[in-house]
Amino acid sequence: MCAERSYARSISLPPDEVFRNLRNAKRFAMDIGGSLAKLAYYSTVERSRAYVSASSGGDDGDGQDDHHLYEIQEQNELGARIHFVKFEMTYFEKCLDFIKENLVSSHGEMMGKVVKATGGGSHKYTNLIRDKLGLECDKEDEMQCLIQGCIFVLRNITNEAFEYQRHSPQPYKFQTMDADLFPFLLVNIGSGVSIVKVESHDKYERIGGSSIGGGSFLGLGCKLTKAKNFDELLQLASQGDHRNVDMLVRDIYGGAYSALGLPGELIASSFGKMVSAKDGEGQEFEEQDIAKSLLHTISNDIGQISCLYAQLHGLRKIYFGGFFIRGHPVTMHTITYAINFWSRGTLQALFLRHEGYLGAIGAFLKGAEEDDSEKYCWGENYAGSSGLHSTSPPPDFIPRDRTASFDRFELDRLERPLVSLPALLDPPSYFPDTVDLTEDPDARKYWLDCFEEALGKVAARAVASQPSRDDAEMRAQQFMAKYNKRLETLREHPFAYGSLTVRSLLDTREQCLNEFHFADPYQHIKQQENEAALRILPERLQHLDSLEFRARQVALAEGLLAGNVFDWGAKAITRLMEGDDSFGFEEAMSKLQARPWLVDDLDPWLERLQDHPHKCALIFADNSGLDIILGVFPFAREMVLRGTQVILCANSKPALNDVTYGELKILAKKVAELCPTIRTALSEGHLKVMASGAASPCLDLSRIDEMLSQECQRRGVDLVVLEGMGRAIHTNYHAAFSCESLKLAVLKNKWLANRLGGDVFSVIFKYTKGSKVEGKTPSKNDIGTQQPRKSPETDR
Ligand code: ADP
């Protein structure tokens, strides 16, 4: 029988709906609990990557360089990914069958290997796993796995932990990665409850637990209502009113019991009202009210016990894990309420976006030395992860709703470790994004609409970047469907993937493009623009050299800004550039707002330049073409001439039309051929081109390439230059550095410009002296606190 048919018999779901990329899996681990089995598998994924290499051709003798500056080649490379999925224990055997058919027997590599397994089921089902998969179970301690998994997500996953405050305008308060992680209490609410005090990576103790947990909710709930599974039960609970079945303080006292500080609405006795009901007579009780009361009872109980344990052991932070929570607002609210109530607000209840996978992650990390979390960094693959509020795979694995997103979590191994930029003033309080769209409904709607509207153009650009259109059109359609679906989810659940920001929207789009093998949609445009810009560089340098010191510094600053006008990510500019081939540097210069700029620190910057040279400037480059070549290189050259060392860095991987590290290396050589200063600076190491570690038009300075960070430290960076809307406005506008910084951008989005009190092409030139305390040296006319001058409107 062919594999496809036997697969179809056991599970009728296309493998990629739930078990993505299972056929490429190399290794897997399981956390087999009382209610759910969590499967982790490591796979290799083929990704297209655009490589640039110096062109072999050149001048053919007629004085004209007919060849391209560099050659672009798309190649496939293998990346590492960990996938996590969960399924109900009732279907455990069915899942093992599925794994056998799609993984174990399909390639010999798995033969004779072991499955790392944890949870009670790793003991109970050893024989079944051996019989079904032919693999031995390597059992790992459950507590150890849980703790390692918890530490791993807290250290690797952005916006993993959050507080939940239901009545606040922004109920989800995401935490930045915590440098002082320990000590904490971990309360894992699975079928039962485990309470663990964690003091360090390897110092922890299970100090308590409770038999009243997720299993009790599911078991009792299914008996007391018609619900057949957890999702139905949760659904019922969301519709219910527990006050119809619970006896409240006011039911006993007629109001609050003020002397004891007990509000009338407080539950005095869970299910207390049901005592009056007898079969066939008296009051009827609604099953949704019962479900809600049950959820309250159990969550309250766990909240109170956790609080007591935390107080007993002097711990302030309580993380909640386990699949009982499922990101459900009622559960999180009840637990938070209980913790606040019993601790009088002194303890912090923290939830995790990947609450249920901690044990599976820990089991996976065991024996995965090549993926040592100390050596590598992992990042969430937003294109493949389902986010909070997704549903479990249905029992029969046949999706009832083919667009439903099943609970899935994917992590991609990053090529290099990422660390904080040493020049950040206070890394724990650094938050890259300027506006959290979850807090701002107008901005959220605007940006979600904007990204939706741009989708057709992005897809068309992606298709145009491919040598053959054969399957490119189809992939582009798939990309559009996927990203559109994501935008829909975010409209409904803005918090599903942590904070919602312009950066997260852009990054998710890049990841979705990569998912469908569009490695670098702008590669040809970037190349053409780089070539065009190089042709005019000598003239530009000559012009700059003809100017007096002050005039030259002004021209250099304006050059950086004019270069920044060339941004294919901005609608206003795309229109200009698409409609007008001759749109050039001078035109861009003429578009700039006249001084005084919206934020205008040019004078203090010029004054600063009269003083001693900087030791080392770190410049994060933005767009290809005129921006990098006519804006950034001349600026870097001036710095070098002043005796300042320069680290010029670019994205490690493509994003929009931003110059990449691979391209920048070639461009630097080409510029060196035209400019002796750059040539000497490169050869003597005063100018160094580096990769930032990013693959985004925005920039998270808490996650930059470790080598870049080391180089910054070694050279003593005392000036950070951020240019472009992505790096200086959408992110980092409020970033505080311990050294001087320049944040430069031209506002090319009318809506945003209006919001900040300016208009399209308004200029931000923000120069800040290094401060020891944030906010000590604010820019003169900082846009950060300014209210919108006009009502927000879209620039469509
Ligand atoms: P365990 O490892 O003991 O199975 P989990 O952390 O997986 O623990 O949580 C199991 C609990 O999660 C269940 O008892 C139930 O309350 C809840 N739960 C969430 N989603 C589901 C689901 N799809 N099916 C069954 N239980 C679920």
Side-chain angles (χ1 to χ4, degrees):
M1 190 187 299
C2 83
E4 283 305 319
R5 277 190 45 217
S6 61
Y7 145 71
R9 201 194 44 203
S10 61
I11 293 174
S12 327
L13 187 67
D16 258 17
E17 291 281 344
V18 176
F19 295 96
R20 294 192 351 135
N21 209 25
L22 186 61
R23 284 169 203 274
N24 283 340
K26 299 275 175 274
R27 185 174 66 237
F28 66 111
M30 286 181 185
D31 174 10
I32 312 167
S35 312
L36 297 167
K38 280 72 61 176
L39 173 72
Y41 56 97
Y42 172 99
S43 78
T44 47
V45 280
E46 234 178 46
R47 299 195 186 106
S48 303
R49 178 123 186 217
Y51 285 95
V52 290
S53 51
S55 171
S56 46
D59 189 342
D60 59 9
D62 60 0
Q64 298 277 316
D65 191 348
D66 303 324
H67 296 268
H68 281 302
L69 187 60
Y70 48 80
E71 319 223 324
I72 307 169
Q73 258 191 326
E74 274 199 23
Q75 286 172 13
N76 283 343
E77 59 172 24
L78 285 184
R81 181 170 287 171
I82 323 177
H83 308 248
F84 297 93
V85 281
K86 70 164 190 282
F87 45 89
E88 291 165 29
M89 280 309 292
T90 331
Y91 308 102
F92 188 51
E93 284 202 40
K94 202 169 178 178
C95 279
L96 291 181
D97 287 337
F98 183 87
I99 293 166
K100 183 179 168 59
E101 281 165 27
N102 288 279
L103 174 78
V104 180
S105 48
S106 62
H107 49 94
E109 273 178 74
M110 286 305 295
M111 290 300 179
K113 286 204 176 167
V114 292
V115 185
K116 289 279 172 194
T118 189
S122 61
H123 298 267
K124 188 170 166 189
Y125 297 109
T126 312
N127 292 341
L128 183 69
I129 293 172
R130 188 188 301 118
D131 293 347
K132 290 261 181 206
L133 303 186
L135 301 177
E136 287 304 319
C137 258
D138 210 352
K139 299 181 196 71
E140 296 293 343
D141 177 70
E142 189 170 350
M143 283 308 119
Q144 206 177 21
C145 290
L146 201 60
I147 306 305
Q148 302 315 331
C150 182
I151 295 171
F152 179 89
V153 290
L154 291 172
R155 290 237 163 107
N156 281 272
I157 312 299
T158 312
N159 290 166
E160 176 63 32
F162 60 93
E163 280 182 65
Y164 183 76
Q165 289 150 358
R166 185 170 167 179
H167 299 300
S168 138
Q170 203 213 358
Y172 296 76
K173 203 167 150 222
F174 292 98
Q175 309 287 299
T176 46
M177 282 185 197
D178 194 348
D180 301 317
L181 194 58
F182 305 107
F184 62 85
L185 191 72
L186 174 63
V187 179
N188 194 62
I189 320 175
S191 307
V193 182
S194 286
I195 302 179
V196 195
K197 173 183 177 181
V198 186
E199 290 179 273
S200 74
H201 219 271
D202 50 11
K203 191 164 177 220
Y204 51 86
E205 187 189 351
R206 187 181 191 276
I207 52 176
S210 168
S211 64
I212 304 190
S216 326
F217 175 65
L218 188 56
L220 271 175
C222 288
K223 271 276 168 268
L224 294 171
T225 69
K226 287 197 219 64
K228 287 185 217 58
N229 59 46
F230 189 82
D231 287 300
E232 284 180 18
L233 197 53
L234 267 193
Q235 180 66 22
L236 270 182
S238 341
Q239 296 155 359
D241 185 343
H242 72 101
R243 290 171 302 188
N244 296 330
V245 292
D246 289 345
M247 195 180 279
L248 309 181
V249 168
R250 70 166 146 83
D251 294 322
I252 304 173
Y253 283 83
Y257 183 0
S258 312
L260 287 187
L262 304 179
E265 287 294 297
L266 196 71
I267 302 170
S269 171
S270 297
F271 295 101
K273 281 189 183 147
M274 288 184 84
V275 79
S276 61
K278 293 204 185 79
D279 278 351
E281 60 182 81
Q283 202 180 340
E284 284 289 324
F285 293 95
E286 299 290 340
E287 55 176 6
Q288 59 266 36
D289 298 341
I290 294 173
K292 178 75 161 277
S293 169
L294 187 60
L295 188 57
H296 268 275
T297 307
I298 291 173
S299 309
N300 248 326
D301 189 52
I302 296 171
Q304 182 173 8
I305 296 173
S306 313
C307 176
L308 290 172
Y309 273 111
Q311 284 174 329
L312 203 61
H313 290 265
L315 302 168
R316 276 212 60 248
K317 279 182 296 188
I318 312 176
Y319 289 102
F320 289 92
F323 265 130
F324 168 68
I325 301 169
R326 284 285 296 275
H328 195 270
V330 175
T331 315
M332 296 193 298
H333 170 66
T334 313
I335 291 177
T336 304
Y337 184 89
I339 303 268
N340 280 337
F341 184 83
W342 294 110
S343 76
R344 293 178 203 280
T346 57
L347 300 182
Q348 194 183 20
L350 291 157
F351 303 95
L352 302 169
R353 284 199 297 126
H354 304 102
E355 56 199 13
Y357 290 116
L358 308 185
I361 295 173
F364 180 84
L365 293 174
K366 290 269 169 189
E369 278 74 27
E370 64 266 44
D371 301 312
D372 186 341
S373 56
E374 299 294 318
K375 274 194 243 145
Y376 288 98
C377 263
W378 296 82
E380 183 167 1
N381 173 29
Y382 294 108
S385 298
S386 50
L388 283 173
H389 304 292
S390 50
T391 55
S392 308
D396 49 7
F397 288 84
I398 303 169
R400 285 172 282 258
D401 166 9
R402 291 200 62 86
T403 60
S405 58
F406 302 119
D407 199 283
R408 243 178 6 213
F409 172 37
E410 290 183 1
L411 287 172
D412 282 335
R413 194 174 73 194
L414 309 177
E415 278 163 21
R416 309 214 4 94
L418 301 180
V419 297
S420 252
L421 179 74
L424 279 180
L425 181 64
D426 179 29
S429 69
Y430 169 75
F431 190 70
D433 305 289
T434 307
V435 177
D436 184 342
L437 302 177
T438 59
E439 281 176 22
D440 187 336
D442 286 346
R444 181 165 72 240
K445 177 166 176 0
Y446 171 75
W447 286 111
L448 287 169
D449 287 350
C450 237
F451 276 85
E452 189 178 326
E453 202 189 301
L455 207 47
K457 282 207 163 174
V458 173
R461 178 99 34 227
V463 172
S465 71
Q466 301 296 292
S468 136
R469 295 196 171 213
D470 286 355
D471 71 329
E473 302 272 2
M474 193 189 70
R475 286 187 280 126
Q477 290 298 328
Q478 289 170 329
F479 152 71
M480 281 175 67
K482 176 146 214 157
Y483 193 63
N484 239 334
K485 175 88 184 34
R486 180 56 51 84
L487 294 176
E488 248 174 59
T489 307
L490 290 168
R491 279 184 206 277
E492 213 179 318
H493 303 293
F495 307 93
Y497 293 84
S499 315
L500 177 62
T501 60
V502 173
R503 174 171 67 105
S504 70
L505 286 168
L506 282 163
D507 292 359
T508 306
R509 190 172 71 185
E510 290 299 329
Q511 291 187 349
C512 289
L513 279 166
N514 292 339
E515 177 97 1
F516 296 103
H517 301 278
F518 294 112
D520 188 358
Y522 285 83
Q523 54 194 7
H524 300 299
I525 291 181
K526 290 191 288 180
Q527 191 179 35
Q528 279 162 18
E529 290 181 350
N530 286 333
E531 285 163 4
L534 270 173
R535 283 196 286 272
I536 29 182
L537 178 66
E539 196 187 316
R540 169 98 187 128
L541 293 179
Q542 219 173 19
H543 167 68
L544 288 166
D545 289 344
S546 71
L547 301 173
E548 292 302 319
F549 178 79
R550 192 183 161 89
R552 189 168 68 247
Q553 303 312 322
V554 173
L556 284 164
E558 286 175 347
L560 279 174
L561 294 163
N564 194 246
V565 168
F566 294 89
D567 188 346
W568 285 92
K571 249 189 282 179
I573 297 308
T574 315
R575 278 195 210 118
L576 270 177
M577 296 203 279
E578 278 176 346
D580 181 0
D581 283 350
S582 66
F583 186 78
F585 202 62
E586 295 308 320
E587 286 76 6
M589 203 77 106
S590 71
K591 288 263 167 231
L592 296 182
Q593 177 192 20
R595 287 190 70 195
W597 294 327
L598 185 58
V599 173
D600 195 336
D601 291 332
L602 183 61
D603 291 337
W605 169 246
L606 296 178
E607 215 172 283
R608 167 64 187 86
L609 289 175
Q610 305 281 357
D611 206 342
H612 66 279
H614 295 91
K615 195 160 182 267
C616 179
L618 168 66
I619 306 176
F620 287 93
D622 184 18
N623 304 315
S624 301
L626 298 171
D627 190 0
I628 180 72
I629 291 167
L630 301 191
V632 176
F633 270 109
F635 180 84
R637 172 180 178 257
E638 180 76 13
M639 285 279 138
V640 168
L641 286 170
R642 281 170 59 79
T644 300
Q645 299 199 4
V646 175
I647 303 175
L648 184 53
C649 60
N651 273 353
S652 301
K653 287 187 182 167
L656 277 172
N657 63 323
D658 290 3
V659 63
T660 63
Y661 170 62
E663 291 156 355
L664 188 56
K665 274 193 302 187
I666 293 174
L667 293 182
K669 280 194 195 136
K670 293 289 167 187
V671 172
E673 284 168 19
L674 302 168
C675 167
T677 310
I678 296 288
R679 185 162 59 238
T680 316
L682 276 174
S683 67
E684 292 182 357
H686 300 309
L687 170 62
K688 189 167 166 96
V689 174
M690 296 196 78
S692 68
S696 166
C698 294
L699 184 61
D700 177 356
L701 290 171
S702 65
R703 278 166 84 80
I704 62 155
D705 193 295
E706 194 178 36
M707 268 176 14
L708 175 61
S709 161
Q710 286 163 358
E711 195 65 21
C712 291
Q713 227 148 8
R714 202 174 69 74
R715 294 192 185 223
V717 163
D718 55 357
L719 173 68
V720 176
V721 182
L722 297 167
E723 60 136 358
M725 283 193 28
R727 292 173 186 78
I729 304 291
H730 295 314
T731 52
N732 297 311
Y733 191 74
H734 298 298
F737 298 101
S738 53
C739 63
E740 292 169 56
S741 65
L742 275 177
K743 296 171 187 172
L744 316 176
V746 179
L747 301 178
K748 285 146 293 189
N749 174 299
K750 187 167 166 53
W751 180 86
L752 181 66
N754 286 172
R755 259 209 159 193
L756 300 175
D759 209 338
V760 78
F761 299 119
S762 289
V763 168
I764 305 294
F765 191 98
K766 184 179 181 184
Y767 166 62
T768 314
K769 290 203 160 65
S771 58
K772 288 289 160 235
V773 182
E774 192 178 2
K776 269 280 164 68
T777 52
S779 202
K780 260 193 299 173
N781 40 2
D782 200 320
I783 57 167
T785 49
Q786 209 161 324
Q787 289 303 311
R789 224 188 260 164
K790 300 174 192 162
S791 61
E793 55 174 80
T794 65
D795 58 349
R796 280 175 285 154

